[in-house]
Amino acid sequence: GAVVSQHPSRVICKSGTSVKIECRSLDFQATTMFWYRQFPKQSLMLMATSNEGSKATYEQGVEKDKFLINHASLTLSTLTVTSAHPEDSSFYICSARSLSSSYNEQFFGPGTRLTVL
Amino acid sequence: AQKITQTQPGMFVQEKEAVTLDCTYDTSDPSYGLFWYKQPSSGEMIFLIYQGSYDQQNATEGRYSLNFQKARKSANLVISASQLGDSAMYFCAMRERDNFNKFYFGSGTKLNVKP
């Protein structure tokens, strides 16, 4: 199957700092990538849809200025958590859709665990 | 109303036995797709199986099969011959034709396989 990577896998930062998370599709081009947030023992919540070369589409309730998304190439999307606070601590997962896949399923990255002190 | 409902927060199954994880869905879109993903403790989401709303037969992938009952709007995952490595969270998800990019996830079921 298609492979999606995320970096870093784990990050701890101080309150008020910004953190950038990278999501890469390694063996396919992804015009669309997705960013999810998952709290402990809960389901995945879609935060935004990232489209290559255009602005991201954010879900209701997600602050655009807080979670900056850039999708500059067909293989890379970045999520920047600006001025992070402890309540932003969560597991962030990206996914990408491969148009060549059998079911147009989303392939997920391994996730990034963010802890804000 | 919730799009995807998983009513079993946790399940136990004996190794080598079969287990069914429940999933019901709600949509008025005649065209949709149903997915099951496995999330081990490492956090990665692993695609298991897919069922299209117009598929006539239940999907199967190795030890995984999907019991698709369209009239009941249920898409239960059946894992045969459970293995210790099957212990994980399992999420049911749906995508509708009219909102192709958006996956709706259920709350998940934590499966524990006992030796």
Side-chain angles (χ1 to χ4, degrees):
Chain A
V3 179
V4 176
S5 71
Q6 269 184 254
H7 177 80
S9 58
R10 189 180 295 266
V11 58
I12 301 173
C13 69
K14 291 182 179 180
S15 185
T17 60
S18 294
V19 174
K20 180 185 283 189
I21 303 170
E22 293 186 348
C23 176
R24 293 181 185 272
S25 57
L26 297 185
D27 52 0
F28 66 100
Q29 292 184 331
T31 55
T32 306
M33 290 184 170
F34 308 88
W35 287 96
Y36 293 85
R37 184 173 182 177
Q38 186 180 29
F39 290 106
K41 299 184 180 180
Q42 293 189 25
S43 189
L44 281 72
M45 298 298 296
L46 179 65
M47 298 174 65
T49 302
S50 169
N51 300 295
E52 187 268 336
S54 65
K55 291 183 179 180
T57 303
Y58 289 81
E59 293 298 304
Q60 192 173 8
V62 177
E63 299 176 59
K64 301 177 184 181
D65 295 333
K66 174 77 171 174
F67 299 99
L68 300 179
I69 291 173
N70 183 278
H71 194 156
S73 77
L74 287 172
T75 59
L76 173 65
S77 176
T78 60
L79 168 69
T80 302
V81 183
T82 62
S83 187
H85 288 96
E87 57 265 31
D88 298 324
S89 298
S90 188
F91 192 58
Y92 292 88
I93 308 177
C94 74
S95 71
R97 208 172 79 218
S98 169
L99 297 181
S100 62
S101 68
S102 302
Y103 312 118
N104 283 330
E105 70 267 35
Q106 292 185 17
F107 296 94
F108 287 82
T112 297
R113 192 162 302 281
L114 170 64
T115 303
V116 185
L117 303 176
Chain B
Q2 281 193 335
K3 290 281 189 179
I4 294 286
T5 302
Q6 293 179 255
T7 58
Q8 305 155 314
M11 291 276 289
F12 284 91
V13 64
Q14 199 70 36
E15 192 178 10
K16 299 181 184 177
E17 291 185 351
V19 63
T20 298
L21 306 184
D22 294 342
C23 172
T24 57
Y25 58 92
D26 181 32
T27 182
S28 57
D29 194 328
S31 178
Y32 51 90
L34 297 158
F35 302 79
W36 276 93
Y37 283 87
K38 172 185 178 181
Q39 187 181 41
S41 56
S42 59
E44 185 175 0
M45 295 285 284
I46 302 167
F47 166 71
L48 296 178
I49 197 167
Y50 168 83
Q51 180 83 44
S53 58
Y54 293 119
D55 293 343
Q56 295 294 317
Q57 293 186 331
N58 288 344
T60 60
E61 289 285 349
R63 294 187 298 112
Y64 305 109
S65 61
L66 202 150
N67 184 0
F68 182 45
Q69 298 189 37
K70 198 169 182 177
R72 291 187 177 184
K73 293 190 175 180
S74 74
N76 298 339
L77 176 70
V78 180
I79 304 175
S80 63
S82 298
Q83 301 172 356
L84 295 178
D86 293 335
S87 294
M89 281 290 288
Y90 289 81
F91 292 98
C92 179
M94 177 178 68
R95 182 186 63 215
E96 298 167 318
R97 177 193 60 189
D98 287 346
N99 199 349
F100 197 70
N101 277 333
K102 188 161 185 174
F103 270 39
Y104 297 94
F105 283 91
S107 55
T109 296
K110 180 75 167 72
L111 177 66
N112 286 291
V113 181
K114 298 186 292 184

